C-alpha cells in the first residue's frame, strides 16, 4: 500500500455499505490516512499488508492483511475487505484470501490463520468456509452497529486445510 492509495482507503472507510460489518473506528480526514500510509512500517513478519488489485488494469479494489503473527506460535490473524462494491461477488475476495493464506503458510511458515466475522455477514462467512476456515467458537455480543449488539464467529484455518 502506497500513500497514493489513501484516497481509495478514505472513500471505502466512509462508505456505510463497505463498513457495515467491520470495526470502523473514528472518521479520519484524508490527510491523516495519507500520513498513516507514509509512516507505515515496511511489511515484516508481524504484519503484512497488501492491496487487492484487478490484474487486467491494476485497479486497487481492496485490502488484505495478516497481522499479529508470532513465530513462537505460528499463528496470525487475517483481515480482508473489498472496498469497490462493483467488484463484490465476483471472486476477488476469495482469490485474495487464498493467495494471502498460501503466502502465510508457505513464506511465513504459519501453522494457523484465524479471523472473526459477524454472524450476520453471511456472504463473508460462506467465502471463509469455502476456502477451508472452520468455525471454532462464538463470541457473544462482540460487535456493535446501529445501537445493536451482534455475535461473531471466530474461525481458524490450519496448514494443509486450504482449499
Amino acid at each position: 500500500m502506497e500513500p497514493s492509495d489513501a484516497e481509495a482507503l478514505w472513500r471505502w472507510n466512509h462508505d456505510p455499505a463497505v463498513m457495515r460489518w467491520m470495526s470502523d473506528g473514528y472518521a479520519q480526514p484524508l490527510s491523516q490516512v495519507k500520513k498513516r500510509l507514509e509512516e507505515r512500517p515496511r511489511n515484516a513478519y508481524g504484519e503484512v499488508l497488501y492491496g487487492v488489485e484487478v490484474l487486467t488494469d491494476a485497479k486497487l479494489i481492496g485490502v488484505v492483511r495478516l497481522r499479529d503473527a508470532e513465530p513462537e506460535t505460528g499463528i496470525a490473524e487475517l483481515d480482508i475487505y473489498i472496498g469497490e462494491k462493483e467488484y463484490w461477488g465476483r471472486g476477488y475476495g476469495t482469490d485474495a484470501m487464498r493467495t494471502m493464506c498460501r503466502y502465510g503458510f508457505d513464506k511465513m511458515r504459519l501453522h494457523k490463520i484465524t479471523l472473526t466475522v459477524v454472524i450476520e455477514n453471511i456472504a463473508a462467512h460462506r467465502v471463509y468456509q469455502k476456502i477451508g476456515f472452520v468455525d471454532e467458537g462464538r463470541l457473544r455480543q462482540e460487535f456493535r452497529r446501529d445501537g445493536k449488539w451482534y455475535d461473531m464467529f471466530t474461525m481458524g484455518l490450519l496448514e494443509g486445510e486450504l482449499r
Side-chain angles (χ1 to χ4, degrees):
M1 301 293 300
E2 301 289 336
S4 60
D5 298 323
E7 189 173 323
L9 289 174
W10 180 85
R11 188 170 29 84
W12 301 336
N13 290 338
H14 287 82
D15 185 329
V18 172
M19 300 307 290
R20 175 75 183 139
W21 298 118
M22 297 187 331
S23 298
D24 49 5
Y26 297 101
Q28 294 182 336
L30 178 57
S31 61
Q32 185 64 36
V33 175
K34 185 175 182 180
K35 183 178 180 191
R36 197 174 72 232
L37 284 175
E38 288 169 349
E39 295 174 352
R40 187 183 173 289
R42 295 178 57 183
N43 283 343
Y45 188 86
E47 179 174 326
V48 290
L49 171 73
Y50 291 104
V52 178
E53 293 183 344
V54 178
L55 290 177
T56 55
D57 60 6
K59 177 181 170 103
L60 180 69
I61 63 167
V63 176
V64 64
R65 167 175 76 159
L66 283 171
R67 63 179 167 87
D68 302 327
E70 295 184 14
E72 295 83 9
T73 63
I75 299 172
E77 188 158 349
L78 185 133
D79 299 315
I80 184 169
Y81 73 101
I82 303 298
E84 296 295 340
K85 293 181 285 199
E86 65 267 24
Y87 291 90
W88 288 1
R90 295 174 54 187
Y92 291 100
T94 303
D95 184 57
M97 284 196 66
R98 276 194 184 111
T99 301
M100 189 58 120
C101 288
R102 265 191 227 107
Y103 179 86
F105 292 131
D106 295 346
K107 300 292 185 191
M108 296 173 67
R109 301 177 112 145
L110 293 173
H111 174 66
K112 182 178 185 177
I113 298 172
T114 65
L115 59 82
T116 57
V117 60
V118 178
I119 290 175
E120 279 77 1
N121 191 350
I122 296 165
H125 189 241
R126 246 188 249 128
V127 167
Y128 303 153
Q129 289 176 318
K130 180 166 117 178
I131 70 165
F133 279 86
V134 175
D135 294 336
E136 294 185 332
R138 184 180 189 124
L139 304 169
R140 298 180 314 133
Q141 296 186 9
E142 188 82 8
F143 181 83
R144 185 178 168 112
R145 176 69 68 220
D146 300 328
K148 182 178 176 189
W149 287 98
Y150 295 90
D151 292 357
M152 298 181 82
F153 286 127
T154 181
M155 301 181 78
L157 178 71
L158 298 175
E159 185 178 9
E161 293 180 337
L162 183 62
R163 292 187 221 137

